[in-house]
Amino acid sequence: MNNQPNNIAEMVYNAVMDTKVVDIHTHLFSRNFNQLLLWGIDDLLTYHYLIAETMRWSDITYDEFWSLSKKDQADHIWRVLFIEHSPISEACQGVLTVLNELGLDTASRNLNQYREYFSSMDVSDYIDKVFDLAGVESVVMTNDPFDHVEYPVWMDKGAGDSRFQPALRLDVMLNSWENAVPQLKQWGYMAETDFGDKTLSEVRRFLKDWIVRIRPVYMAVSLPSDFVFPDDSPRSRLISECILPLLAEFNIPFAMMIGVKRSVNPQLKLAGDSVGRSNIKSVEYLCANYTENKFLVTMLSHENQHELCVTARKFRSLMVFGCWWFLNNPSMIDEITRMRVELLGTSFIPQHSDARILDQLVYKWKHSRRVIANVLIDKYSDLAQTGWQISNDEIKRDIADLFSGSFKTFIGR
């Protein structure tokens, strides 16, 4: 068998580009959620990454920017980042990758022509087109029962599209318990801010009702950089006495996205969040002491990646996933993926898109696939240097595990 580097490069590249992905964490929604489904050029341009980047150049005040319509915000961002400066940041290049993959002429720089293209698209047809261009089999949503727009959809018809898989997101309950209690009461769950037996029982009833209602692939929370478990906070009691017992009963993983510093610059709104280093001891404690549970974990700080990867070597109940948020840049993806392959082989999930706008699936997966392919080409070439014979089928198997198989096995579906 020919195991020369060029042959390996071709096999790996083709497998990475052709293998369908299960995108395990997004902020996307199916068509049933109406205005929560974001798509098209104006939504792409007003993504919070681009807003923050624009404000570094623009002399417009924050209040003036937020007072603009979405179209006018998009016009401003286009002018500042794409016309007045070269769009070489990852977020800017992402927009151009989407336009190019759709067959639009990026050299024209004609924003109104791009708008005409999107206005002519039927949203259902466009969802199909994006999934096909991105090579995505399905996406996992972020579903918040405390969201007043999302809640009635679940009480009525649900997602309605099997490509959009639900995940039960509990940020309100776990990060601001005092705000969750009044809403729980309104829904008929007799919770109080203290933690008597009745409150704990009612929280468990609420969670079980939502597990049955939406059948989540996992339960999730975004946690601050100073997250500690266990401690005497409401969050710790909810996790230990309500969430983990139920998840063990239903064999559902607990997904923790750790490392956010909220509203470092409140004037930027969603774009104003930042990153902080976290303590890996909390993850170690959960894995060591809740052996009936499974944990999906990604951490936001670059400095946490090595510790997290080593921890995953110690606990098979821990599945490391993705390069999240500020790590979703080619240089970071390259470094972190190499480290994970070297420490974990293929027993991890290399990427998720974290997409908020449907179109972002196209660029985030095109860019990530390119980096992941380069890493794997190097690693399989190193393997060939030992005399090990690697087949095309074996490469396809490994990449299928990385892109979907490991996740499906971990969640038990």
Side-chain angles (χ1 to χ4, degrees):
M1 177 181 175
N2 181 6
N3 261 341
Q4 294 304 309
N6 287 343
N7 188 50
I8 286 178
E10 182 180 358
M11 291 190 295
V12 172
Y13 182 84
N14 289 339
V16 168
M17 298 304 160
D18 294 343
T19 301
K20 293 286 188 180
V21 170
V22 174
D23 192 338
I24 80 157
H25 171 57
T26 77
H27 295 269
L28 301 177
F29 293 91
S30 67
R31 187 174 183 178
N32 281 357
F33 291 90
N34 299 314
Q35 70 265 36
L36 291 177
L37 170 58
L38 304 177
W39 65 286
I41 187 62
D42 287 339
D43 282 325
L44 274 173
L45 288 172
T46 53
Y47 181 46
H48 62 86
Y49 280 30
L50 293 168
I51 291 172
E53 190 177 337
T54 297
M55 295 312 243
R56 291 184 58 78
W57 284 113
S58 177
D59 59 2
I60 193 173
T61 68
Y62 293 109
D63 288 342
E64 288 171 340
F65 179 83
W66 294 120
S67 71
L68 298 174
S69 67
K70 180 183 289 187
K71 179 178 180 296
D72 288 341
Q73 288 178 359
D75 284 339
H76 182 73
I77 290 168
W78 180 260
R79 176 175 58 80
V80 171
L81 296 186
F82 292 80
I83 304 303
E84 296 178 354
H85 303 90
S86 295
I88 60 174
S89 72
E90 177 68 5
C92 286
Q93 289 197 45
V95 173
L96 298 178
T97 294
V98 172
L99 297 176
N100 186 56
E101 290 295 303
L102 290 171
L104 300 174
D105 180 14
T106 58
S108 75
R109 306 188 183 188
N110 192 323
L111 185 54
N112 287 327
Q113 283 186 356
Y114 307 148
R115 286 188 173 121
E116 289 175 7
Y117 171 85
F118 287 102
S119 67
S120 70
M121 293 295 295
D122 172 79
V123 64
S124 293
D125 292 340
Y126 191 61
I127 291 172
D128 294 342
K129 187 178 186 68
V130 167
F131 271 64
D132 182 60
L133 285 173
V136 170
E137 174 187 317
S138 62
V139 301
V140 179
M141 300 179 285
T142 294
N143 302 116
D144 180 2
F146 291 89
D147 185 284
H148 71 280
V149 178
E150 188 174 346
Y151 176 87
V153 179
W154 287 114
M155 301 305 290
D156 182 16
K157 54 191 175 183
D161 186 333
S162 61
R163 292 173 299 181
F164 292 82
Q165 302 183 70
L168 186 57
R169 184 73 170 254
L170 297 173
D171 286 31
V172 174
M173 179 179 289
L174 292 179
N175 295 328
S176 57
W177 172 241
E178 67 283 358
N179 294 320
V181 169
Q183 184 63 77
L184 289 170
K185 286 182 176 179
Q186 185 178 330
W187 289 329
Y189 300 94
M190 296 298 103
E192 301 293 341
T193 51
D194 65 5
F195 281 95
D197 291 342
K198 181 65 174 178
T199 292
L200 293 170
S201 175
E202 287 293 272
V203 170
R204 287 191 288 266
R205 183 168 71 90
F206 166 76
L207 294 172
K208 188 170 184 178
D209 286 347
W210 275 89
I211 289 172
V212 172
R213 178 173 292 119
I214 74 173
R215 297 189 68 246
V217 296
Y218 57 74
M219 196 176 289
V221 62
S222 177
L223 293 162
S225 57
D226 61 358
F227 167 64
V228 173
F229 183 94
D231 62 9
D232 59 358
S233 67
R235 180 195 292 128
S236 279
R237 293 206 64 182
L238 289 166
I239 290 174
S240 63
E241 299 182 54
C242 299
I243 289 173
L244 293 179
L246 266 178
L247 293 182
E249 177 185 343
F250 283 90
N251 192 32
I252 297 173
F254 187 38
M256 297 181 293
M257 292 163 279
I258 307 170
V260 180
K261 291 169 70 174
R262 297 291 184 193
S263 296
V264 170
N265 182 356
Q267 295 183 93
L268 278 172
K269 299 187 179 181
L270 185 62
D273 294 344
S274 189
V275 54
R277 182 171 181 172
S278 302
N279 192 329
I280 198 72
K281 289 182 180 179
S282 296
V283 177
E284 293 173 340
Y285 183 93
L286 283 160
C287 292
N289 289 276
Y290 294 87
T291 56
E292 299 302 311
N293 288 97
K294 296 182 291 187
F295 300 94
L296 284 156
V297 177
T298 192
M299 299 183 82
L300 189 52
S301 170
H302 174 263
E303 289 75 18
N304 280 129
Q305 300 311 310
H306 183 246
E307 286 182 302
L308 177 61
C309 198
V310 171
T311 303
R313 285 175 59 89
K314 309 307 170 186
F315 298 100
R316 64 180 180 181
S317 61
L318 171 59
M319 178 63 77
V320 174
F321 73 97
C323 297
W324 179 37
W325 205 339
F326 304 113
L327 296 176
N328 197 344
N329 291 301
S331 60
M332 295 291 193
I333 298 168
D334 181 273
E335 175 192 339
I336 293 167
T337 303
R338 288 179 189 276
M339 177 186 64
R340 289 173 176 172
V341 170
E342 289 162 3
L343 284 170
L344 300 174
T346 59
S347 64
F348 68 99
I349 299 165
Q351 190 56 304
H352 63 276
S353 72
D354 201 27
R356 289 182 177 272
I357 295 94
L358 177 69
D359 321 59
Q360 289 176 334
L361 289 176
V362 176
Y363 94 75
K364 292 199 174 190
W365 279 109
K366 184 176 181 64
H367 291 190
S368 289
R369 284 179 198 265
R370 185 169 56 217
V371 177
I372 292 167
N374 288 337
V375 172
L376 292 177
I377 287 168
D378 287 348
K379 296 306 175 185
Y380 283 113
S381 296
D382 290 344
L383 182 60
Q385 294 300 314
T386 71
W388 186 266
Q389 299 290 301
I390 186 76
S391 71
N392 194 34
D393 286 343
E394 288 169 334
I395 289 172
K396 289 180 177 179
R397 173 203 62 198
D398 295 345
I399 291 168
D401 282 341
L402 286 167
F403 282 179
S404 66
S406 293
F407 176 65
K408 291 177 181 178
T409 299
F410 192 74
I411 65 173
R413 295 193 180 184

